[in-house]
Amino acid sequence: AQSVAQPEDQVNVAEGNPLTVKCTYSVSGNPYLFWYVQYPNRGLQFLLKYITGDNLVKGSYGFEAEFNKSQTSFHLKKPSALVSDSALYFCAVRDITGANNLFFGTGTRLTVIP
Amino acid sequence: SQTIHQWPATLVQPVGSPLSLECTVEGTSNPNLYWYRQAAGRGLQLLFYSVGIGQISSEVPQNLSASRPQDRQFILSSKKLLLSDSGFYLCAWSQLAGFYNEQFFGPGTRLTVL
């Protein structure tokens, strides 16, 4: 069975500092991993995905994620946080048995402090 | 470009009343369609998905049903709402073809059952 875990409910970071939002996964087979962001009362926006290839994946709004097979992790990163990055972040893994279904983590609320 | 619409944006309904939420996608054909529920601004629960007209798969037994009367239309319904049906309902679509395709989300409907 596929699953993802986001161990931190809340992450606080000062504006201008690097940020990391953690995600670990459990899959049988090759992992297909995704990151989404959700602003208040809005739908989720796709940030980036890992399918295969380079372990460092670059996405929207300056975000990137590092795939680490040995640690089964897919942490989201950004070199310099903006106040506007404050939002809810979801990691997801593709369900290999369903119609392109995704299993989502419970989300991490990122707050960037001015 | 593709867009996804959901309406209404917000809805307040009494317990026992019926429900109909609508989702439509523009700019694509034969999409996979999904209904999710998000409680308390956190994790997403997949309710239904559809790979074609009239084809509905239910992920969890519940008070809700879904229908897909047209290729790009997905409807979430209930005959009698429960208090526990309150939440943020999100519709999403993905390309049917392609194993690695991300999902794109609509703006959501905030449902409050009183």
Side-chain angles (χ1 to χ4, degrees):
Chain A
Q2 287 69 237
S3 67
V4 291
Q6 294 182 243
E8 301 163 315
D9 285 344
Q10 175 81 42
V11 170
N12 296 327
V13 63
E15 185 178 21
N17 282 3
L19 69 87
T20 299
V21 183
K22 297 179 180 178
C23 173
T24 59
Y25 65 88
S26 174
V27 300
S28 52
N30 293 325
Y32 305 118
L33 299 159
F34 302 78
W35 274 104
Y36 285 82
V37 61
Q38 185 181 31
Y39 298 99
N41 296 310
R42 303 291 296 275
L44 277 67
Q45 296 180 32
F46 169 74
L47 283 177
L48 50 81
K49 65 181 176 183
Y50 173 81
I51 304 301
T52 186
D54 290 341
N55 289 341
L56 187 63
V57 179
K58 294 188 182 298
S60 306
Y61 312 120
F63 283 93
E64 57 190 26
E66 186 172 8
F67 172 70
N68 188 315
K69 188 173 184 178
S70 62
Q71 297 185 7
T72 62
S73 67
F74 189 54
H75 300 334
L76 181 70
K77 300 181 179 183
K78 188 173 182 180
S80 178
L82 301 173
V83 173
S84 57
D85 293 329
S86 299
L88 191 55
Y89 290 81
F90 290 97
C91 181
V93 63
R94 193 198 183 283
D95 177 10
I96 63 172
T97 61
N100 222 11
N101 296 344
L102 296 176
F103 289 111
F104 285 86
T106 52
T108 298
R109 189 166 302 282
L110 172 69
T111 301
V112 181
I113 303 165
Chain B
S1 64
Q2 301 88 4
T3 55
I4 178 169
H5 304 279
Q6 284 186 249
W7 64 90
T10 60
L11 190 60
V12 179
Q13 292 285 95
V15 169
S17 63
L19 173 74
S20 181
L21 303 181
E22 189 162 345
C23 170
T24 59
V25 181
E26 296 177 355
T28 188
S29 58
N30 301 317
N32 284 352
L33 295 171
Y34 309 84
W35 277 112
Y36 291 88
R37 177 167 57 202
Q38 184 180 29
R42 297 311 294 251
L44 280 77
Q45 179 186 35
L46 178 63
L47 301 176
F48 302 95
Y49 68 89
S50 171
V51 300
I53 296 174
Q55 300 180 61
I56 308 296
S57 296
S58 175
E59 289 296 298
V60 289
Q62 58 210 317
N63 186 42
L64 302 169
S65 62
S67 62
R68 185 170 176 174
Q70 300 181 44
D71 180 47
R72 290 169 290 176
Q73 184 185 30
F74 205 23
I75 297 172
L76 184 69
S77 302
S78 173
K79 293 182 179 178
K80 287 186 178 182
L81 284 168
L82 306 173
L83 287 174
S84 57
D85 291 324
S86 293
F88 193 48
Y89 288 83
L90 291 161
C91 180
W93 73 273
S94 70
Q95 292 286 2
L96 180 59
F99 195 76
Y100 321 118
N101 293 323
E102 58 271 28
Q103 294 180 14
F104 298 96
F105 285 78
T109 295
R110 173 82 54 196
L111 172 66
T112 303
V113 182
L114 301 175

